[in-house]
Amino acid sequence: MFEGGGDTARADELFDITLGRQRSPKHESGDHILPYLRSANVTLNGIDVTDIKSMNFEPREQVQFALAVGDVLVSEASASAASVGMPAVWQGENPGLVCFQNTLLRYRAIDDVTLPSFLEHFCHWAFETGKFLVASSGTNIRHIGVGGASSMIVRRASISEQEAFVAQARVAGNAVRSLRQELDAVTALLTKLTNELLGVN
């Protein structure tokens, strides 16, 4: 879907890609203190809001850096190649207005061009296949940057193609979840039987 044959486009033609606001001592106080997310809040299990920092975002900055449900946050840099480009979807886990720092890239679907669910699949695909890592640069710490993210070449898909793909992916995802639940149940049963045979309580 993302790199097959057919018409292609730069990623920034298909997705709105924005780098977060830089943290600075001058932003530590002000009349518009708001929580913000950083790379530490993006995990393989989604957005972790147990430790959220705050800083000042002026109203004009809020327009640029506020998060909306469905936005995909991508870890912009990491010293670990395995973590470069790790994505997670913002589902409004923290109430109220929340912004984001420049350790994250925000991907947002463009109306009539891409679907939020299609965007989510793209970001996971780019992370899992190492495409984000390829787009990054640096030695000790790899940075994707807006330039690297924007210049990635993606197969262009119509809205109807995206809808069909997302539907297929949903079916596959449900099947995987069902198999994992069955595996967990069988593993638990095997452990229980083994403990009973060995006389372990």
Side-chain angles (χ1 to χ4, degrees):
M1 172 54 68
F2 298 115
E3 61 175 358
D7 188 21
T8 60
R10 283 171 50 103
D12 59 358
E13 295 179 55
L14 306 178
F15 317 117
D16 180 292
I17 305 172
T18 303
L19 183 67
R21 216 275 300 282
Q22 184 172 4
R23 185 181 177 188
S24 170
K26 68 180 181 180
H27 300 314
E28 292 180 0
S29 61
D31 298 327
H32 306 282
I33 300 296
L34 291 171
Y36 68 89
L37 299 185
R38 61 199 197 284
S39 58
N41 300 114
V42 173
T43 76
L44 289 173
N45 296 317
I47 301 292
D48 180 2
V49 295
T50 55
D51 181 19
I52 295 183
K53 308 296 185 183
S54 297
M55 63 177 164
N56 193 65
F57 287 85
E58 295 296 326
R60 59 180 175 78
E61 295 174 315
Q62 295 173 24
V63 173
Q64 182 178 359
F65 298 114
L67 295 174
V69 172
D71 286 345
V72 181
L73 294 169
V74 169
S75 181
E76 188 275 332
S78 178
S80 169
S83 297
V84 175
M86 183 184 297
V89 182
W90 174 246
Q91 302 287 6
E93 289 85 348
N94 201 66
L97 198 61
V98 178
C99 297
F100 67 109
Q101 189 196 8
N102 67 339
T103 54
L104 295 172
L105 289 163
R106 182 190 65 198
Y107 279 70
R108 180 174 287 174
I110 298 175
D111 291 343
D112 300 322
V113 177
T114 42
L115 301 173
S117 49
F118 181 81
L119 164 60
E120 178 183 351
H121 282 292
F122 166 77
C123 289
H124 280 286
W125 169 82
F127 172 63
E128 293 166 8
T129 59
K131 300 298 182 183
F132 277 142
L133 179 60
V134 171
S136 67
S137 60
T139 306
N140 295 327
I141 298 180
R142 304 288 297 185
H143 289 269
I144 302 173
V146 173
S150 299
S151 62
M152 293 176 67
I153 301 301
V154 187
R155 178 179 174 272
R156 191 189 296 272
S158 66
I159 293 296
S160 59
E161 285 181 296
Q162 293 177 41
E163 290 172 339
F165 169 76
V166 168
Q168 289 180 320
R170 186 180 300 114
V171 171
N174 289 338
V176 169
R177 281 187 287 275
S178 295
L179 288 171
R180 284 177 176 164
Q181 289 173 354
E182 290 180 23
L183 178 60
D184 290 343
V186 170
T187 301
L189 178 60
L190 180 60
T191 300
K192 180 181 178 182
L193 291 174
T194 300
N195 290 341
E196 289 178 355
L197 289 172
L198 297 176
V200 178
N201 294 326

